[in-house]
Amino acid sequence: MIGTAFYIMEFVPGRILADPKLPGVSPADRAKIFDSMNDVLARIHNVDYRAAGLGISGARPIIQRQIARWSRPV
């Protein structure tokens, strides 16, 4: 234990799509991107977060923490 919170990332090759309007992407390719995004979101929502060890993190469950974070004004 080093006394500081940290995480390890892995490089994954791919594109970074910063603009959700996807300028310069054809309608057919845009549809494929959105279909893929929706597939991943559906898979994430099917994960049993308690079985994955994400149910309790600190004082509040991680879901409550995330909703509170997303709901804060920027």
Side-chain angles (χ1 to χ4, degrees), residues 40-70:
V40 170
L41 286 172
R43 289 171 188 246
I44 289 171
H45 282 85
N46 283 324
V47 170
D48 181 346
Y49 67 92
R50 289 184 185 98
L54 299 173
I56 301 297
S57 177
R60 293 186 293 174
I62 193 166
I63 300 299
Q64 290 176 354
R65 284 184 29 232
Q66 291 292 7
I67 291 172
R69 182 175 299 142
W70 296 334

Side-chain angles (χ1 to χ4, degrees), residues 3-62:
T4 302
F6 70 96
Y7 64 94
I8 298 173
M9 289 191 317
E10 174 183 357
F11 175 77
V12 178
R15 298 185 295 176
I16 297 174
L17 305 169
D19 185 343
K21 296 177 187 172
L22 302 176
V25 178
S26 73
D29 286 342
R30 194 176 308 129
K32 290 177 187 176
I33 290 169
F34 290 143
D35 286 346
S36 177
M37 178 189 68
N38 291 332
D39 177 60
V40 170
L41 286 172
R43 289 171 188 246
I44 289 171
H45 282 85
N46 283 324
V47 170
D48 181 346
Y49 67 92
R50 289 184 185 98
L54 299 173
I56 301 297
S57 177
R60 293 186 293 174
I62 193 166

